[in-house]
Amino acid sequence: QVQLVESGGGLVQAGGSLRLSCLVSRTTFSTFGMGWYRQAPGKQRELVAAINPGRTTKYADSVKGRFTVSRDNAKNTVYLQMDSLKPEDTAVYFCNAGTSWDLTSPGPYWGQGTQVTVSS
């Protein structure tokens, strides 16, 4: 069983920053592709950023240049640094584990989600 625990969400003003963390309870973390997805009310869940074991990254066009995904294999943790936040970034953010190597498909493991709210 793989468990993912997200933290770091909250309320921030437009232009501000937040860093999300996702701790994975699996010693083989270094072999997992990891992704961050988000879902806003009334919208489908969408990929925000992902990173594979080789540290290749992928970003949604809407967050390129503002968000950075990274991983620390020694801590079994993946991060999402979010800068220059906009009100349209408001959503529940989910961590995902087991993402495909090419970062196009989510894996089978999901965190519980963390709320990010950006006020204008």
Side-chain angles (χ1 to χ4, degrees), residues 3-98:
Q3 293 185 324
L4 287 69
V5 180
E6 300 115 331
S7 60
L11 173 64
V12 64
Q13 288 188 329
S17 298
L18 284 174
R19 188 176 81 154
L20 305 183
S21 300
C22 175
L23 175 63
V24 180
S25 64
R26 188 67 170 260
T27 57
T28 55
F29 171 80
S30 64
T31 68
F32 279 3
M34 298 296 301
W36 286 98
Y37 289 73
R38 68 185 179 188
Q39 188 166 18
K43 295 188 177 182
Q44 289 188 332
R45 190 172 297 188
E46 63 175 358
L47 173 69
V48 177
I51 183 168
N52 73 9
R55 299 181 187 270
T56 296
T57 58
K58 180 177 181 178
Y59 295 93
D61 288 343
S62 60
V63 307
K64 283 180 180 177
R66 300 189 297 122
F67 291 11
T68 303
V69 61
S70 62
R71 62 191 299 156
D72 185 337
N73 290 340
K75 296 182 178 179
N76 281 20
T77 301
V78 63
Y79 303 98
L80 184 67
Q81 177 67 42
M82 304 185 294
D83 298 318
S84 302
L85 282 160
K86 304 176 180 179
E88 51 263 45
D89 294 318
T90 295
V92 178
Y93 284 69
F94 297 90
C95 181
N96 176 264

